[in-house]
């Protein structure tokens, strides 16, 4: 092990560290990883860390230059473009050349950011606001990958940061929809192993040739571990067959995100399934984390119908319908499918002559002639887990619902199928979602007197962006927790409620105990993401005007063509 030279005139403990340890410390400083995303944090500031370290003293400079992994992060932004009078500008490649030289043959993390500089995404990959920038970049990369391949590429992120355009049925700009990225259908090198080490793939607002991708993955040495498909217009989405084929080439998938994407599904085709009788769902035995953002019930069901992932432990279910939709999307049918694998048909009431009344003695069925037909016997508690055996995700432990709109009975039926759930989070949900955790008597089809306890092992509840008064939530949570405990289920042990700092007088963090079963509720104040003085705002009216002009950071011809009639004249 090599030790650094110790200057006796100015002794410093850090100078006594072995070179190998000092080098490792430098690497940790330069390659910080986002714990939530799992990606290295790369931006115009973090890539300067190796340069700053190398200028401290001569010894540190030698150590950094002899540590190739320290120089493996590249960030290309608009700040590197040197403008010329009356002309566009040239890209300053000085630091890029330096990093490429010092990194030697080590794999690189490359972040190409062609968006407005005030966006704050930091995932390595190619990120743009406008499609023309992404299209040019992909056309430049295409021949290198399809001819020579990318044998060291492990993670690829392509993001078009304009979600609104994906709500159109047709891709815009239409003249740049084709050729699709990674199209090898007309090449003679399609038999090569082009992406042998690709593990993570993120496509947000960026489409490619889906059949070619499936073929490339079939030849890879390693299977994809993480796949993210988001924000795709209908005419660039994969067909059900292509989507099925793509997932079939990912048997080791551990994380799947599908939001505003997935298979192209007609909304009114009169069918209840998109799979033919001879096609089975794709088995994904290693899938543990899934995010599903649906824009219609049939779309969400189609995605779930194609996959067979019985060991998913964490699910995020999110309403991805347009924010300006005339009506809220009722997700009751989707919740029912996740709980039972069946989409409910139009309900035929077999008990038209019955009326169900709730009395102090329980529920009784009364016919319309006031004749008492049945009075239930002593209630029985259903904690057997039979409902979980029919659920799409029977082993679910963590669940987040974001803006999911459904009536209380549908939410209760859905939660009742999650017999192993331990952590539940509601975001932008009404108070009826909390009420659905209350034990309820089953309907007549389950048998007389049966009480269903949803999520009997639930321990933790988190509530965000709730519009209900805190006092109402406290009262309801206390009652729900007591009732669940009294029938043999688990009482809620910990509840976190996040509130807007402007909407409450509570301190930054308050902890109170509700009920006699030990439920602890923590009220946490959240500062708004943006305020009136936030730097995202334009400084002057002239800045705002230029942003909306042709070529401005907010201008998008495709967006304007689709939604311009809805926008006020600026």
């Amino acid at each position: 092990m090599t030790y650094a030279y110790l200057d006796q005139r100015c002794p410093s403990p850090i100078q006594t560290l072995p070179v190998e340890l000092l080098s490792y410390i430098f690497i940790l400083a330069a390659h910080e990883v986002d714990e939530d995303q799992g990606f290295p944090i790369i931006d115009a500031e973090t890539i300067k860390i190796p340069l700053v370290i190398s200028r401290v003293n001569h010894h540190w400079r030698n150590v950094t230059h002899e540590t190739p992994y320290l120089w493996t992060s590249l960030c290309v932004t608009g700040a590197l473009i040197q403008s010329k009078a009356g002309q566009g500008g040239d890209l300053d490649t000085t630091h890029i050349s330096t990093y490429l030289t010092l990194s030697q043959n080590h794999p690189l993390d490359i972040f190409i950011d062609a968006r407005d500089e005030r966006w704050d995404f930091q995932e390595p990959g190619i990120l743009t606001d406008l499609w023309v920038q992404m299209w040019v970049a992909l056309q430049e990369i295409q021949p290198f990958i399809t001819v020579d391949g990318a044998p060291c590429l492990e993670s690829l992120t392509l993001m078009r940061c304009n979600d609104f355009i994906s709500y159109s049925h047709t891709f815009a700009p239409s003249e740049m929809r084709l050729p699709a990225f990674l199209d090898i259908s007309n090449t003679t090198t399609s038999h090569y192993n082009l992406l042998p080490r690709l593990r993570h793939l993120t496509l947000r607002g960026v489409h490619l040739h889906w059949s070619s991708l499936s073929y490339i993955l079939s030849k890879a040495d390693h299977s994809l571990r993480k796949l993210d498909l988001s924000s795709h217009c209908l005419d660039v989405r994969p067909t059900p067959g292509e989507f099925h084929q793509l997932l079939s080439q990912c048997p080791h998938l551990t994380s799947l995100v599908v939001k505003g994407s997935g298979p192209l599904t007609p909304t009114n085709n009169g069918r209840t399934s998109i799979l033919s009788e001879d096609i089975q769902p794709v088995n994904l035995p290693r899938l543990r984390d899934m995010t599903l953002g649906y824009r219609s019930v049939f779309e969400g069901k189609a995605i779930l119908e194609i996959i067979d992932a019985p060991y998913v432990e964490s699910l995020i279910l999110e309403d991805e319908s347009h924010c300006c939709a005339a009506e809220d999307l009722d997700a009751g049918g989707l919740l029912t499918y996740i709980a039972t694998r069946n989409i409910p048909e139009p309900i035929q009431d077999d008990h038209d002559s019955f009326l169900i009344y709730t009395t102090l003695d329980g529920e009784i069925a009364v016919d319309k002639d006031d004749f008492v037909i049945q009075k239930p016997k002593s209630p029985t508690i259903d904690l057997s887990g039979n409902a979980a055996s029919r659920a799409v995700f029977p082993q679910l432990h963590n669940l987040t619902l974001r803006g999911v709109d459904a009536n209380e009975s549908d939410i209760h039926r859905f939660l009742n199928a999650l017999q192993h759930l331990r952590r539940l989070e509601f975001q932008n949900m009404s108070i009826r979602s909390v009420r659905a955790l209350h034990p309820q008597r089953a309907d007549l089809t389950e048998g007389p007197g049966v009480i269903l306890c949803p999520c009997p092992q639930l321990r933790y509840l988190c509530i965000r962006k709730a519009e209900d008064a805190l006092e109402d939530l406290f009262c309801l949570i206390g009652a729900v927790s007591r009732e669940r405990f009294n029938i043999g289920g688990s009482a809620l042990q910990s509840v976190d409620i996040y509130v807007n700092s402007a909407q409450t007088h509570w301190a930054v963090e308050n902890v109170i105990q509700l009920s006699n079963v030990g439920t602890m509720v923590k009220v946490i104040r959240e500062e708004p993401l943006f305020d009136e003085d936030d730097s995202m705002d334009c400084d002057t009216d002239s800045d705002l005007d230029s942003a909306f002009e042709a070529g401005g950071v907010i201008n998008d011809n495709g967006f304007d063509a689709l939604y311009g009639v809805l926008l006020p004249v600026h």
Side-chain angles (χ1 to χ4, degrees):
M1 183 173 290
T2 304
Y3 286 84
Y5 171 73
L6 179 60
D7 189 343
Q8 299 295 335
R9 295 171 300 174
C10 185
S12 173
I14 198 171
Q15 296 289 6
T16 66
L17 292 177
V19 171
E20 293 84 355
L21 183 56
L22 190 61
S23 174
Y24 183 64
I25 293 174
F26 293 163
I27 291 174
L28 293 179
H31 296 293
E32 181 183 357
V33 176
D34 188 315
E35 295 181 357
D36 295 331
Q37 299 293 335
F39 294 105
I41 299 177
I42 305 176
D43 55 30
E45 296 301 321
T46 59
I47 63 169
K48 296 178 182 178
I49 293 177
L51 295 174
V52 174
I53 294 174
S54 67
R55 294 173 182 173
V56 172
N57 56 48
H58 182 72
H59 172 60
W60 282 23
R61 180 181 181 86
N62 290 337
V63 173
T64 56
H65 284 191
E66 294 174 1
T67 308
Y69 185 61
L70 195 62
W71 307 89
T72 56
S73 295
L74 298 181
C75 180
V76 181
T77 68
L80 298 178
I81 299 178
Q82 300 175 337
S83 59
K84 298 180 180 180
Q87 301 180 14
D90 295 329
L91 181 66
D92 181 5
T93 60
T94 304
H95 94 275
I96 299 176
S97 301
T98 301
Y99 278 52
L100 289 175
T101 300
L102 294 175
S103 63
Q104 299 180 15
N105 294 324
H106 282 64
L108 302 174
D109 291 318
I110 302 175
F111 180 42
I112 302 177
D113 189 357
R115 306 157 302 149
D116 174 24
E117 61 184 11
R118 288 167 290 189
W119 285 85
D120 59 354
F121 293 109
Q122 294 177 330
E123 297 181 17
I126 302 178
L127 287 71
T128 69
D129 289 311
L130 306 181
W131 178 252
V132 62
Q133 300 161 337
M134 177 66 69
W135 188 81
V136 170
L138 296 181
Q139 297 307 307
E140 290 293 324
I141 297 173
Q142 170 84 5
F144 294 98
I145 294 183
T146 56
V147 175
D148 299 322
C152 293
L153 184 62
E154 296 183 1
S155 177
L156 177 62
T157 298
L158 304 174
M159 293 178 58
R160 181 190 188 185
C161 303
N162 188 344
D163 240 2
F164 286 102
I165 206 70
S166 68
Y167 289 94
S168 169
H169 288 200
T170 57
F171 181 84
S174 58
E175 64 274 12
M176 294 183 180
R177 183 172 71 92
L178 298 174
F181 183 51
L182 291 186
D183 185 0
I184 59 174
S185 57
N186 296 321
T187 65
T188 59
T189 59
S190 59
H191 61 283
Y192 290 152
N193 192 353
L194 301 179
L195 300 173
R197 300 177 61 181
L198 187 63
R199 299 292 188 90
H200 304 163
L201 177 60
T202 299
L203 301 171
R204 299 183 186 176
V206 178
H207 62 281
L208 41 67
H209 196 276
W210 304 108
S211 297
S212 295
L213 175 62
S214 299
Y215 182 85
I216 292 173
L217 294 179
S218 69
K219 300 296 182 180
D221 298 331
H222 302 279
S223 173
L224 274 183
R225 298 298 192 271
K226 296 182 179 181
L227 177 62
D228 183 337
L229 304 177
S230 304
S231 304
H232 291 122
C233 300
L234 292 180
D235 63 341
V236 295
R237 293 187 185 185
T239 64
E242 290 172 335
F243 188 70
H244 186 280
Q245 183 184 26
L246 174 59
L247 294 182
S248 298
Q249 305 305 326
C250 308
H252 297 154
L253 204 63
T254 61
S255 176
L256 176 62
V257 177
V258 185
K259 296 175 59 177
S261 184
L264 177 62
T265 55
T267 55
N268 296 310
N269 62 352
R271 299 178 59 186
T272 59
S273 173
I274 65 170
L275 294 180
S276 58
E277 295 180 357
D278 58 338
I279 297 181
Q280 298 297 319
V282 179
N283 183 244
L284 299 173
R286 300 189 182 185
L287 189 63
R288 295 296 182 268
D289 302 310
M290 181 169 182
T291 298
L292 175 60
Y294 58 90
R295 294 181 178 177
S296 72
V297 170
F298 189 77
E299 176 181 291
K301 174 183 177 293
I303 296 170
L304 296 175
E305 190 179 10
I306 290 179
I307 68 173
D308 176 26
Y311 303 111
V312 168
E313 298 177 351
S314 179
L315 173 67
I316 298 176
L317 190 63
E318 183 174 0
D319 185 342
E320 277 284 310
S321 60
H322 199 284
C323 60
C324 297
E327 298 180 356
D328 293 334
L329 177 59
D330 185 354
L334 181 59
L335 297 181
T336 299
Y337 179 80
I338 297 176
T340 65
R341 294 183 183 272
N342 291 313
I343 285 287
E345 300 292 336
I347 298 176
Q348 301 294 332
D349 189 2
D350 295 329
H351 306 284
D352 287 339
S353 61
F354 296 168
L355 296 176
I356 306 299
Y357 288 92
T358 301
T359 69
L360 295 178
D361 295 327
E363 290 183 344
I364 57 176
V366 182
D367 71 0
K368 293 182 179 180
D369 295 326
D370 293 331
F371 178 78
V372 177
I373 298 179
Q374 176 187 352
K375 185 174 182 177
K377 300 178 182 179
S378 299
T380 57
I381 311 302
D382 183 11
L383 299 174
S384 61
N386 293 330
S389 63
R390 304 188 300 268
V392 175
F393 304 117
Q395 302 299 323
L396 208 59
H397 291 170
N398 305 307
L399 172 66
T400 299
L401 299 180
R402 294 176 179 167
V404 177
D405 186 66
N407 60 49
E408 184 177 336
S409 61
D410 288 333
I411 299 176
H412 181 273
R413 183 185 302 109
F414 167 66
L415 295 178
N416 185 63
L418 308 180
Q419 299 292 305
H420 302 285
L421 196 70
R422 292 178 173 81
R423 185 186 186 280
L424 177 61
E425 180 172 334
F426 293 131
Q427 294 187 19
N428 196 24
M429 302 276 288
S430 69
I431 198 171
R432 61 174 174 266
S433 59
V434 180
R435 284 202 301 263
L437 292 170
H438 200 290
Q440 297 181 11
R441 295 183 184 272
D443 56 28
L444 295 178
T445 61
E446 299 284 347
V450 175
I451 294 181
L452 303 178
C453 182
C455 315
Q457 299 185 41
L458 185 64
R459 298 292 191 275
Y460 171 78
L461 175 65
C462 178
I463 301 174
R464 295 177 183 267
K465 299 181 181 180
E467 297 181 356
D468 308 286
L470 281 177
E471 291 74 12
D472 294 338
L473 287 174
F474 292 159
C475 181
L476 179 58
I477 292 171
V480 167
S481 192
R482 283 193 302 270
E483 195 67 25
R484 292 170 60 87
F485 179 79
N486 291 337
I487 69 166
S490 67
L492 297 174
Q493 295 180 354
S494 177
V495 179
D496 290 345
I497 302 178
Y498 290 82
V499 296
N500 191 319
S501 59
Q503 297 177 344
T504 181
H505 61 279
W506 289 75
V508 175
E509 186 173 296
N510 287 84
V511 180
I512 61 175
Q513 179 173 336
L514 295 180
S515 75
N516 57 356
V517 295
T519 301
M520 304 301 295
V521 177
K522 182 187 297 182
V523 179
I524 305 170
R525 291 176 57 182
E526 282 188 309
E527 297 297 331
L529 292 178
F530 304 106
D531 54 35
E532 294 180 357
D533 299 325
D534 196 279
S535 59
M536 285 290 290
D537 296 333
C538 295
D539 296 331
T540 63
D541 291 339
S542 60
D543 291 337
L544 186 61
D545 291 337
S546 62
F548 280 96
E549 292 176 354
V553 295
I554 302 179
N555 177 261
D556 187 316
N557 294 333
F559 177 86
D560 294 343
L562 293 169
Y563 301 103
V565 295
L566 302 178
L567 299 176
V569 178
H570 182 73

